[in-house]
Amino acid sequence: MKAVGHTSLLIMQETGAIKGLSSAEVIASRKLHGRNFANGQDHSRFWEAVKDVVTEPIFILLVVAALVYLGLGEYRESFIMLGSLAFVAGISLYQENRSRNAVDALNKLTAPKAKVLRDGLVMEIDAADLVIGDCMMLEDGNLVPADGELLKWNDLSVNESILTGESLPVVKGLTGDNKVFQGTMLLSGSCIARVNAIGKSTMLGKIGQSMGAIAVPQTPLQLQIRSFIRSMVAAGAIAFVIVWAVNYYLSGSILHGLLHGLTLAMSVLPEEIPVAFSTFMALGAYHLYKKNVIAKSPYTVETLGAATVICVDKTGTITQNAMELAAIYVYKDDRVIDYTILPFDYSEVLEFAMWASETDPFDRMEKVIHEVYERVSPTDRRKRFSMFHEYPLEGNYPIMTHAFRDGDGETIIASKGSVEGILAQCILDEAGKERVLARTRELASRGYRVLAVARYDGVMEKMPESQREFRFDLIGLICFYDPPKSNIRETISQFYNAGIEVKMITGDHAETAAAIAAQVGFKASPEVLTGSMVMGMDLPELQQRLKPVNILARMFPDAKLKVIEALKRNGEVVAMTGDGVNDGPALKASHIGISMGKGGSEVAKAAASLVLVDDDIGHMPTAVALGRKIYENLKKAIRYIISIHIPIILIVTLPLVLQWQFIDIFSPVHVIFLELIMGPTCSIVFENEPIEANSMNMPPRKLTTSFFSIRELSLSIVQGLMITLSSLLIGQYALRNGASPELARTMIYATLVLANIFLTLVNRSFYHSFITTLRYKNRLIPLVILVSLFILLVCIYFGPAQQVFKFTSLSIGEFGKCLLAAVLGVFWIEVIKFWIRRKG
């Protein structure tokens, strides 16, 4: 909880006797009514994690294997399986807890906030901490965090479509409608409302449409991996039954046959894949957070690496949002006053721009207007006048109008906004309008943001319902310069190098956008499209017109949304930045919506999938690189899993199918120890791999329905087959030279473990040689290799372990033969990679 410095005019002027709850009353209300959760989010999920672990197929297989060993009287093996069971469960719980903590930390950072009045102070708290009786303060653009009853309001209209399905705004405070509801959005005005329902008791909670209850659709990669795992489980179940039946037929022992079936089922199940996937995504999101980028969902990380187009706003994204007053154009004198070379001076344009601004401004331009007016005005009239009516910023070409009155009844009505919007309501002939538009283009070509200023001098007995009913007198233009961010040129260059198109979507004039684009290194655009041009095209035409265009000016919400849809239809993976209320629909429609953390509205943050904590788009190339790295490393991990599972499966099944004299090569004890080596390798080692050296100089990957190409999958399968061949051949070599079954089993196992180590090294890149990747920074690689070798040596040379695994000690020569077989079974891929590099 923190005190809030900036408050709206309404809060400052009208809180009056409203002091809000005291700290003691907040505690009492929370004890009585609970917290503002709609779906019981405050309960512990530990037992859910335990349930997930004990229902995993591998856990069930380990339990059954331990029971079978008990049935066979092999108590030592049974206890080993139970120990492995505890280890596997512990690893799963650790990984689940690690992933969950990363996601929870991010969820806490992105939790919605609420402004409340407590102990007479305005505080910003998590929306979940609201209690019944709290006085919440809301302004246009806010999402209502709980149901409440209005105490104070001003020009208040609300979008209640989430409850009613009706998109038209609802005006509050009229005809007895004095309630606001959770999940609705303030379109205009501000209010103070006393909370009368939270959590499940709100209108939204009762009808079951809470955002937390809406199922998030799974990404293509999630669906692909789930489908792959289901196929493997089904294959494992079928193979289990077949092997059990064949072994029972050959041995006559149900338990013996069951043990063989379990061995095969354990070798088939790729339980490392879902662990690796969830770990990669959750930790990827956490790494983004450390780079000042908050991912609302860990699975957003998957899409980042595939982004092909990024649509950026100008103000606050490309520029610093540090608006400085640059020039004023006085209409009646047809004169431009250039403040870049002249000192600030009083102007009627400046004064009426001040009256048309918020009295307690938070927008940078309006702050500058007030600051300059205070410095140069002969008489500061702000204290004499008070606002009695305001019309909020609205319209495709937005304008805003404020009405003030002093104690003597003198009235000031001022308006400012887009040049087109103001001119549409001004009393000007066509020649006058053309003169203003020419000046606008001239000033905009300098990179200035240009607003028009007007006044109304008529007499009105009653203020009209809409500011569009006024007929204004134009006073002039006021211009601001917002310099580009210092790192934006480098950022745009990084996007281009990564094969990502950059398009500027701005509400500013085309000339302003083009001037800024030239300053920051945008690629030359053959033309500029405007919002009205966009809305005048059908989608197929717009799809074609958008391809060469990288500047879109005078854009409004409907036009932005249409552009996003057209880009998506072109097959682009679209990222978009935005911070305003009106950016919400387009942010939601894009594949990756990016909101600003400091300057972004609540609506923009709610609609976006990423939030830039410090509003710096310079983090986005890093985020894209991380997305590409995670996708690359996940593919490496899963290809490794496929390659190493194939020899385990075939070593269990081929001797049985081919009716070799020695078929009991591996038992569940062998398989589970191989799994314990493989699990950390794929989910820990590969997650820590750095990005490929050339990744950010390659075009984005294409979003496809398949995770692997035929070539990639075929190569991984061949890797597995070659390791199988080398392992079985070394076993056959030993048997044909009079070796005992124990020695053959030991040599097969040693070859497979050594091949696993080598596979880890060569699969770090499918382009660069393993010698190159040895220089990659990954401190876990030597650790995993040493641990794997230590476990192998203990199994081979430590007496009690030999008895458990039915191994025998290897001579130096025999171990060397296993090493050679492993090298031949794995390192042939280096020849393929050399050929790829030469060809590429």
Side-chain angles (χ1 to χ4, degrees):
M1 181 188 300
K2 63 180 181 179
V4 177
H6 165 68
T7 55
S8 70
L9 174 70
L10 175 67
I11 293 169
M12 292 180 64
Q13 293 183 341
E14 299 190 20
T15 51
I18 302 174
K19 302 297 182 185
L21 298 178
S22 66
S23 299
E25 289 171 329
V26 169
I27 295 171
S29 180
R30 184 169 292 127
K31 284 183 179 179
L32 184 62
H33 302 289
R35 301 183 76 205
N36 188 27
F37 287 131
N39 294 291
Q41 302 167 41
D42 53 344
H43 68 275
S44 171
R45 288 169 294 175
F46 174 76
W47 293 111
E48 287 184 15
V50 172
K51 178 185 173 183
D52 290 340
V53 169
V54 300
T55 55
E56 287 179 358
I58 190 66
F59 188 94
I60 296 170
L61 290 177
L62 284 171
V63 171
V64 175
L67 293 175
V68 171
Y69 275 124
L70 280 174
L72 292 172
E74 299 180 11
Y75 301 111
R76 183 172 49 196
E77 286 81 355
S78 178
F79 289 137
I80 288 174
M81 296 306 291
L82 290 174
S84 302
L85 185 71
F87 186 80
V88 168
I91 288 290
S92 297
L93 284 173
Y94 169 74
Q95 293 283 48
E96 166 65 22
N97 185 64
R98 191 180 180 205
S99 300
R100 188 175 67 246
N101 286 344
V103 174
D104 286 348
L106 297 173
N107 286 340
K108 187 173 182 181
L109 288 166
T110 57
K113 304 293 183 182
K115 285 182 184 177
V116 294
L117 196 63
R118 289 180 178 175
D119 293 315
L121 297 174
V122 178
M123 313 295 294
E124 185 178 73
I125 62 172
D126 288 340
D129 291 331
L130 279 171
V131 299
I132 289 182
D134 258 329
C135 293
M136 54 184 177
M137 283 151 289
L138 305 166
E139 298 171 323
D140 56 313
N142 288 170
L143 290 172
V144 181
D147 288 2
E149 187 172 355
L150 295 176
L151 302 177
K152 300 282 186 181
W153 63 92
N154 181 46
D155 290 332
L156 185 62
S157 66
V158 182
N159 182 335
E160 296 185 344
S161 59
I162 192 171
L163 298 175
T164 64
E166 175 57 61
S167 61
L168 294 175
V170 178
V171 179
K172 294 291 181 175
L174 303 176
T175 63
D177 188 354
N178 65 341
K179 295 183 184 297
V180 290
F181 302 100
Q182 184 186 47
T184 61
M185 184 181 77
L186 268 67
L187 297 178
S188 66
S190 55
C191 71
I192 303 175
R194 179 172 286 121
V195 175
N196 58 20
I198 57 175
K200 294 180 180 179
S201 300
T202 64
M203 184 70 71
L204 196 62
K206 289 178 180 177
I207 63 177
Q209 290 185 345
S210 168
M211 292 300 290
I214 297 174
V216 178
Q218 292 189 320
T219 65
L221 184 55
Q222 285 177 283
L223 295 173
Q224 292 160 21
I225 288 179
R226 173 167 289 193
S227 174
F228 177 75
I229 292 171
R230 284 177 176 171
S231 300
M232 294 297 289
V233 170
I238 295 170
F240 165 74
V241 173
I242 293 173
V243 170
W244 186 5
V246 171
N247 268 279
Y248 172 65
Y249 174 77
L250 294 174
S251 66
S253 170
I254 291 179
L255 289 180
H256 189 270
L258 179 59
L259 199 60
H260 275 274
L262 289 172
T263 304
L264 179 60
M266 290 170 63
S267 67
V268 170
L269 284 178
E271 75 283 349
E272 306 95 337
I273 292 179
V275 173
F277 181 65
S278 61
T279 301
F280 275 46
M281 295 305 165
L283 293 182
Y286 187 70
H287 292 325
L288 280 181
Y289 161 63
K290 292 195 290 186
K291 301 291 185 182
N292 277 337
V293 181
I294 298 175
K296 305 280 280 298
S297 165
Y299 302 105
T300 303
V301 178
E302 170 205 338
T303 316
L304 272 171
T308 59
V309 174
I310 180 164
C311 300
V312 295
D313 187 20
K314 181 182 74 68
T315 304
T317 300
I318 292 177
T319 61
Q320 298 175 22
N321 199 18
M323 291 290 186
E324 299 298 336
L325 185 56
I328 276 178
Y329 168 67
V330 183
Y331 174 70
K332 65 180 180 181
D333 298 334
D334 193 23
R335 179 169 59 99
V336 173
I337 306 172
D338 189 346
Y339 290 134
T340 63
I341 57 176
L342 296 173
F344 291 128
D345 195 8
Y346 172 78
S347 163
E348 188 182 40
V349 178
L350 175 66
E351 176 168 350
F352 274 84
M354 181 275 297
W355 291 122
S357 301
E358 296 293 340
T359 54
D360 180 31
F362 54 88
D363 178 81
R364 174 61 187 166
M365 286 188 297
E366 295 190 341
K367 284 183 176 180
V368 169
I369 290 170
H370 274 271
E371 289 168 4
V372 176
Y373 171 80
E374 186 173 355
R375 285 165 54 186
V376 302
S377 176
T379 304
D380 190 339
R381 300 201 293 164
R382 289 178 296 181
K383 293 180 181 180
R384 279 181 47 206
F385 287 82
S386 59
M387 187 192 301
F388 69 91
H389 201 90
E390 70 172 312
Y391 298 94
L393 189 70
E394 51 90 18
N396 283 343
Y397 294 112
I399 67 171
M400 61 191 298
T401 305
H402 290 164
F404 292 83
R405 184 179 291 133
D406 68 0
D408 299 327
E410 183 182 350
T411 301
I412 297 174
I413 299 176
S415 183
K416 78 174 190 312
S418 67
V419 176
E420 296 92 334
I422 292 292
L423 286 182
Q425 293 182 228
C426 280
I427 308 168
L428 281 180
D429 57 22
E430 289 304 316
K433 289 182 179 180
E434 185 52 44
R435 173 156 58 96
V436 174
L437 290 173
R439 286 293 192 182
T440 300
R441 289 190 291 269
E442 174 197 335
L443 293 165
S445 66
R446 304 183 195 177
Y448 295 165
R449 184 170 188 180
V450 184
L451 301 178
V453 180
R455 65 190 295 173
Y456 178 76
D457 288 327
V459 177
M460 281 197 172
E461 296 181 2
K462 181 182 178 182
M463 298 298 289
E465 289 188 12
S466 170
Q467 61 186 321
R468 299 295 177 181
E469 297 180 36
F470 286 106
R471 299 292 290 168
F472 294 117
D473 293 313
L474 182 70
I475 304 175
L477 306 175
I478 188 166
C479 309
F480 301 86
Y481 180 63
D482 188 9
K485 292 180 177 177
S486 59
N487 64 344
I488 194 64
R489 178 180 285 272
E490 180 186 357
T491 300
I492 290 173
S493 176
Q494 289 175 312
F495 284 135
Y496 287 147
N497 289 340
I500 301 173
E501 278 190 77
V502 188
K503 296 183 185 292
M504 184 194 299
I505 300 183
T506 178
D508 271 343
H509 292 87
E511 293 81 3
T512 305
I516 295 296
Q519 294 175 36
V520 300
F522 258 69
K523 290 181 178 178
S525 180
E527 65 175 323
V528 176
L529 294 181
T530 65
S532 57
M533 293 168 66
V534 166
M535 297 307 293
M537 304 179 203
D538 57 22
L539 271 176
E541 181 186 0
L542 181 59
Q543 287 174 242
Q544 295 303 314
R545 292 284 295 278
L546 275 176
K547 289 179 180 179
V549 170
N550 60 25
I551 299 177
L552 297 105
R554 306 310 279 163
M555 296 292 287
F556 40 86
D558 291 344
K560 291 181 183 179
L561 183 59
K562 192 172 181 179
V563 166
I564 297 299
E565 293 297 342
L567 289 171
K568 288 165 66 177
R569 286 200 181 192
N570 279 343
E572 306 287 0
V573 179
V574 184
M576 177 186 168
T577 69
D579 53 14
V581 174
N582 292 331
D583 291 324
L587 287 171
K588 195 75 174 177
S590 61
H591 295 100
I592 309 165
I594 306 164
S595 176
M596 303 298 127
K598 291 181 178 178
S601 66
E602 283 188 40
V603 174
K605 291 176 187 176
S609 47
L610 292 179
V611 178
L612 300 178
V613 175
D614 54 5
D615 294 6
D616 185 2
I617 197 176
H619 299 307
M620 282 308 299
T622 303
V624 170
L626 182 60
R628 292 188 179 187
K629 184 193 87 165
I630 288 172
Y631 185 81
E632 291 168 0
N633 290 346
L634 183 62
K635 289 191 79 166
K636 292 173 190 175
I638 296 179
R639 291 180 72 175
Y640 159 83
I641 292 167
I642 292 171
S643 296
I644 202 61
H645 266 272
I646 288 173
I648 300 173
I649 296 168
L650 293 180
I651 288 169
V652 172
T653 56
L654 278 181
L656 178 65
V657 171
L658 300 177
Q659 285 297 290
W660 288 4
Q661 63 180 33
F662 176 44
I663 62 174
D664 294 337
I665 298 176
F666 285 167
S667 67
V669 170
H670 301 98
V671 173
I672 192 59
F673 266 77
L674 286 169
E675 298 279 359
L676 294 180
I677 293 171
M678 290 155 48
T681 301
C682 67
S683 62
I684 299 176
V685 170
F686 283 109
E687 194 277 328
N688 277 274
E689 280 291 276
I691 189 171
E692 292 272 5
N694 61 342
S695 185
M696 283 301 283
N697 293 316
M698 301 288 286
R701 66 180 172 88
K702 293 187 180 297
L703 282 183
T704 61
T705 54
S706 59
F707 188 43
F708 294 115
S709 67
I710 296 297
R711 185 183 66 82
E712 290 171 331
L713 191 58
S714 299
L715 193 59
S716 295
I717 291 172
V718 172
Q719 279 186 300
L721 293 175
M722 292 297 290
I723 294 171
T724 304
L725 185 64
S726 64
S727 300
L728 288 178
L729 284 179
I730 199 72
Q732 280 290 357
Y733 168 81
L735 289 171
R736 293 193 178 188
N737 284 276
S740 65
E742 287 77 15
L743 179 58
R745 178 185 292 114
T746 307
M747 293 184 73
I748 292 171
Y749 192 87
T751 302
L752 186 56
V753 172
L754 291 170
N756 174 74
I757 292 172
F758 296 147
L759 185 69
T760 305
L761 294 176
V762 301
N763 277 24
R764 295 178 74 188
S765 175
F766 286 91
Y767 180 83
H768 297 290
S769 73
F770 84 98
I771 296 173
T772 300
T773 59
L774 282 175
R775 295 194 292 268
Y776 287 3
K777 184 179 179 182
N778 188 339
R779 65 182 184 278
L780 293 178
I781 287 288
L783 177 64
V784 167
I785 290 174
L786 289 174
V787 169
S788 298
L789 281 174
F790 176 76
I791 293 174
L792 175 62
L793 295 175
V794 167
C795 291
I796 294 175
Y797 297 107
F798 182 58
Q802 284 181 340
Q803 296 176 24
V804 170
F805 289 98
K806 298 179 182 177
F807 286 163
T808 188
S809 297
L810 299 179
S811 67
I812 294 177
E814 290 164 342
F815 194 89
K817 290 172 184 175
C818 296
L819 186 65
L820 178 61
V823 168
L824 293 174
V826 173
F827 279 98
W828 60 269
I829 191 71
E830 291 298 319
V831 178
I832 304 294
K833 290 197 283 186
F834 176 76
W835 178 76
I836 291 172
R837 290 195 300 275
R838 286 290 298 271
K839 183 181 177 183

